[in-house]
Amino acid sequence: MVTAGALLGRLLPRWERHRPADGLSFDASTARATLAAVAGGMITLVGFVVTAIALVVQTVTGVSNPQAVRRLRALLDRLAARPDRQGLGGAAAGETLDD
């Protein structure tokens, strides 16, 4: 399987050079639009995550369980303090209240 992948990696670019350039063409404006769409999607996702965390905090504080509030606050403090997991990255990577 690895040999087939290596062989295709060497032969396909040579084969594509000899084909006519029909179909889609990509230029700088296409790349710019694609990156803008990806960045917009990431910003939207971060907004949803922050909203979900705010709802969890409201729910936990509404229950009046001091232990749960302390555990959630400790988790958020640990996430903010880790340089390798900026912001909410730890929560997205599967960090739980028991970690």
Side-chain angles (χ1 to χ4, degrees):
M1 187 62 88
V2 173
T3 306
L7 184 64
L8 285 174
R10 297 284 284 171
L11 295 178
L12 280 178
R14 292 179 185 169
W15 178 67
E16 287 177 346
R17 274 188 236 130
H18 299 293
R19 293 187 40 83
D22 56 344
L24 299 175
S25 64
F26 298 101
D27 57 357
S29 65
T30 306
R32 191 176 301 117
T34 302
L35 288 174
V38 169
M42 290 174 66
I43 291 169
T44 302
L45 178 63
V46 168
F48 282 130
V49 169
V50 168
T51 302
I53 288 178
L55 289 174
V56 167
V57 168
Q58 283 181 337
T59 303
V60 168
T61 56
V63 172
S64 297
N65 185 350
Q67 181 182 5
V69 173
R70 279 194 307 269
R71 291 175 73 191
L72 182 60
R73 185 177 304 244
L75 171 65
L76 293 175
D77 289 342
R78 280 188 293 170
L79 289 176
R82 289 187 179 178
D84 61 326
R85 294 183 182 178
Q86 292 294 322
L88 302 174
E95 177 125 359
T96 63
L97 291 174
D98 295 330
D99 287 345

